[in-house]
Every structure is written in C-alpha cells, then in structure tokens.
Amino acid sequence: MIRGWRVCGVTALVLLLAGGCAVRPANSITQFKYPAAQRDMLADAAKAVETSPWPKPGPASFIVRMTGVGGNDRVSRNDAVAAYLLELEASGAGFVRLERDARLNLAAAERLDDTAREALRAPRHSMNDIALIETAIQTLREHRHIYADAGKELKKRGFDVSDDALDALRDDFRLAVKNLGKTADVLADQIDEDRSATYASPDRTIR
C-alpha cells in the first residue's frame, strides 16, 4: 500500500513544485513536465473507476461533523445502498446485475493499474498521479462495501445470491486495491529518485 507519509505529503509536494523554492535547478520546469497525453489517459482511467450505478457518497463538511447541523444533501453509504437496491429490484436482475456491475468496476480498476504501470516509462512523474491512484483506491474500498451490503440485503429480500460469488467479489476488490497500492509505491519511489538526482545536480541557479 501507499506509504503514509507519501499520501499525507501529496498536497504539500504539489504546492512545493508549483511555487518553487530558494534553490531550484535551472531546467526544473522541463524536468518535472509530464507528457500531457499520458496524464490525460491516467486521469480518464481513474475517473472510470469512480463510475457507479448509485449516487456517490460524499464526506460531511467540517462544520457538519463538528456541529451535526446541516448536511441534508449529503449522500451516505446507506443512501447509496438503498438507491442501488431500488434499481436492482426494478430491473429484476438482482444479484446477476450486481455482479456484472461489480465486475465492470474491477475491470476499470485493472485498466487504471495498467495505465499507471505504463506511465512508469515516462521520464518524469507527478505527485498528482499518485493522488489520482489514491483517490481510486478509496473509491474501490467504498464500492466494495456498497456491493457487499447490497448483496446481503438482496439475499434477505429473497433474491438468489451466491455467497461464494459475493465473497469472490470482496476478495477481488481487495486485490485491486493492493495492486494499485503497489503501483503507486513504485511511482512514489521514482519521484523520490528523480528529485534526489535533480537536486544533487551541480547545475543549480539560486533565485
């Protein structure tokens, strides 16, 4: 999985690279430039992972968490499960539909991992790339819970639900998260190496 200090430092490092520092390589802008097309592909792949057949749950604001006031427009995990169950029951497909949706989500996660691994060949990377993957990981974890909760509720309502298939979905989501975490770690290592090599270069201009 992604190392904790790297995840927490994503924003700080992005600001550092954007704002500059006292000592900067003269060619730092070129060195940290990432191929736009490749970044777009990574962003599109990450966005595909977030696609879901239910309203996307969102975090409560700081004020709502502290006071408990407001936040009526927030979609909770339970709201997402309830909305998804309505769609599953209306379709009449039940668990067959759920399993198909989950497999499509897992396929999107695999494409993201493939795209991120392809990005390893780029001469330079960005912490934004890692942030995209980390967001996708959090999304997959949330989706795993929603699919599992919806599957269990379908069974309670009399639908034919395969426990083995539901367990397999849980396991596959865990594996997808693990694989993306490993890829993000490799990207982070390369960024560390790039920064070390750049700032160790004798060609530096003080500004």
Side-chain angles (χ1 to χ4, degrees):
M1 291 302 298
I2 301 175
R3 297 166 178 80
W5 69 268
R6 283 174 177 150
V7 175
C8 295
V10 166
T11 302
L13 185 54
V14 169
L15 291 175
L16 174 63
L17 296 180
C21 56
V23 179
R24 171 188 285 184
N27 61 345
S28 61
I29 294 178
T30 300
Q31 287 185 340
F32 282 105
K33 185 177 180 181
Y34 187 79
Q38 208 160 11
R39 173 170 287 141
D40 289 344
M41 288 177 61
L42 189 65
D44 289 344
K47 186 176 180 180
V49 172
E50 297 184 23
T51 302
S52 65
W54 56 74
K56 186 175 177 60
S61 69
F62 175 77
I63 297 298
V64 171
R65 293 199 304 269
M66 293 298 294
T67 66
V69 177
N72 293 330
D73 293 333
R74 177 175 176 261
V75 178
S76 68
R77 182 187 296 171
N78 288 338
D79 294 333
V81 171
Y84 188 37
L85 284 169
L86 286 175
E87 186 171 338
L88 291 173
E89 289 183 313
S91 70
F95 186 71
V96 173
R97 163 72 184 278
L98 183 151
E99 189 172 21
R100 185 194 70 185
D101 291 342
R103 289 295 169 192
L104 288 173
N105 198 189
L106 288 166
E110 185 174 359
R111 287 193 296 272
L112 173 60
D113 191 46
D114 290 341
T115 304
R117 289 186 178 277
E118 183 66 24
L120 293 173
R121 302 180 182 181
R124 286 292 183 268
H125 308 95
S126 166
M127 290 301 288
N128 285 328
D129 303 331
I130 299 177
L132 285 172
I133 299 174
E134 173 63 10
T135 299
I137 287 173
Q138 297 302 324
T139 297
L140 286 171
R141 286 174 174 155
E142 186 67 25
H143 286 188
R144 174 171 61 85
H145 288 297
I146 293 174
Y147 282 122
D149 290 350
K152 289 186 291 185
E153 184 60 30
L154 280 176
K155 188 171 184 177
K156 290 179 181 178
R157 298 183 184 186
F159 283 84
D160 183 17
V161 176
S162 168
D163 291 335
D164 289 340
L166 192 57
D167 288 341
L169 287 178
R170 291 193 190 97
D171 290 341
D172 288 344
F173 270 94
R174 291 190 186 98
L175 180 60
V177 166
K178 182 178 179 180
N179 289 339
L180 283 171
K182 288 181 178 179
T183 301
D185 279 345
V186 175
L187 278 170
D189 286 340
Q190 288 198 4
I191 289 174
D192 287 346
E193 292 172 2
D194 291 343
R195 292 184 67 227
S196 297
T198 298
Y199 285 92
S201 172
D203 180 20
R204 296 188 299 177
T205 301
I206 298 178
R207 298 183 178 181

